[in-house]
Amino acid sequence: MAVFVLVHGGGHGGWCYQFVARRLRAEGHEVYTPSLTGLAEREHLLSPDIDLDMQITDVVKLLHFEDLRDVILVGHSYGGMVITGVADRAADRIDHLVYLDAANPVNGQSLVDVAGPLMLLARQMGRVVDGVELVLFPGNDPMSFYGVTDPDLIEWMKPKLTPHPWKCFEQKLVLDNEDALWAIPRSHIICTSTIDGRDIEALKATSDGRVWDIDTGHDLMITEPEAVTGYLLKIAAL
């Protein structure tokens, strides 16, 4: 049995992994899908203090309080920033890192550094609410960036999406335990449409060639849960 911790991306919550988590549990695996502070069912905790560091701490605390070890830690999109920080702080608890169409940062980078044009566009459409700068507002049709086209999935997602504090995307990642972090095996599951914007050879060099792509939109855990689960099971069997 493997232990999976699935970390969501911007504007989402643990709910976005329902289809994948259900399949992994059916195979006998232990699965955690935390929602980061200020998002989804934790949106009532929104405050000016929420940043990348706090959301990294969310997951580190989960690992410690649930006493999770040998974890396969998965991060989608912005979640790549989070899981990299988590692995830096809790390398002894992580067995494998999986970047799910995710940011793949190095020390000193923010998500704005990694994906500047997209994030700056999101900021232009943001707003300040109760002293907190927020981006990724659901709006009337939030699916263009997430790559979801199925009407039923769109209706399922719309009431669950929540705006995300901009500070999380602007804050730079600080790594203090890089030798242990970069020693953790890693894999990349990406969308075919994002290949052109990635250095695939560099990703393969740091993951023993484990770079797989799925021809779907950015929210691949929602649009292609069977394929995502298949790759996660392959990783668990390594």
Side-chain angles (χ1 to χ4, degrees):
M1 181 191 74
V3 178
F4 289 91
V5 175
L6 312 179
V7 179
H8 63 83
H12 288 55
W15 58 266
C16 70
Y17 284 111
Q18 284 184 24
F19 307 138
V20 171
R22 188 178 303 137
R23 287 168 168 79
L24 291 173
R25 289 174 182 137
E27 295 292 329
H29 300 294
E30 188 174 351
V31 185
Y32 295 82
T33 59
S35 289
L36 303 173
T37 301
L39 297 161
E41 76 276 12
R42 304 184 71 205
E43 66 177 344
H44 61 289
L45 300 176
L46 186 66
S47 81
D49 297 325
I50 296 174
D51 56 14
L52 172 61
D53 182 70
M54 179 181 289
Q55 294 186 334
I56 290 170
T57 301
D58 285 337
V59 183
V60 172
K61 293 292 187 182
L62 171 69
L63 300 182
H64 284 279
F65 278 91
E66 294 289 349
D67 196 21
L68 303 182
R69 299 179 185 277
D70 300 321
V71 170
I72 298 175
L73 183 60
V74 181
H76 172 249
S77 194
Y78 161 74
M81 302 292 301
V82 177
I83 67 169
T84 304
V86 171
D88 179 70
R89 299 186 192 180
D92 59 324
R93 293 177 179 266
I94 310 301
D95 184 66
H96 204 108
L97 290 169
V98 183
Y99 292 82
L100 191 60
D101 211 42
N104 185 41
V106 297
N107 193 22
Q109 284 188 318
S110 67
L111 187 61
V112 174
D113 295 324
V114 174
L118 282 175
M119 298 316 302
L120 293 175
L121 178 62
R123 191 179 195 184
Q124 290 176 12
M125 296 184 288
R127 66 190 80 157
V128 176
V129 178
D130 295 331
V132 182
E133 184 178 1
L134 299 169
V135 297
L136 301 181
F137 275 84
N140 294 322
D141 182 12
M143 304 305 144
S144 57
F145 174 71
Y146 301 132
V148 180
T149 58
D150 181 274
D152 291 336
L153 288 177
I154 289 173
E155 289 308 307
W156 178 76
M157 290 177 66
K158 274 186 176 181
K160 298 175 178 63
L161 292 165
T162 43
H164 202 120
W166 172 254
K167 281 177 67 175
C168 300
F169 305 143
E170 193 173 48
Q171 186 180 34
K172 295 184 182 296
L173 185 65
V174 177
L175 303 176
D176 296 315
N177 193 23
E178 290 194 74
D179 287 345
L181 163 63
W182 303 128
I184 299 171
R186 61 189 57 214
S187 296
H188 300 269
I189 306 170
I190 62 179
C191 296
T192 304
S193 60
T194 67
I195 287 177
D196 288 344
R198 298 177 183 274
D199 187 340
I200 298 298
E201 293 308 312
L203 295 183
K204 288 181 177 179
T206 58
S207 63
D208 291 331
R210 290 184 300 274
V211 179
W212 302 292
D213 67 283
I214 301 173
D215 190 8
T216 190
H218 182 54
D219 274 14
L220 62 175
M221 66 286 181
I222 292 175
T223 57
E224 290 290 342
E226 194 71 40
V228 170
T229 302
Y231 285 125
L232 293 180
L233 292 174
K234 181 180 292 190
I235 290 166
L238 291 175

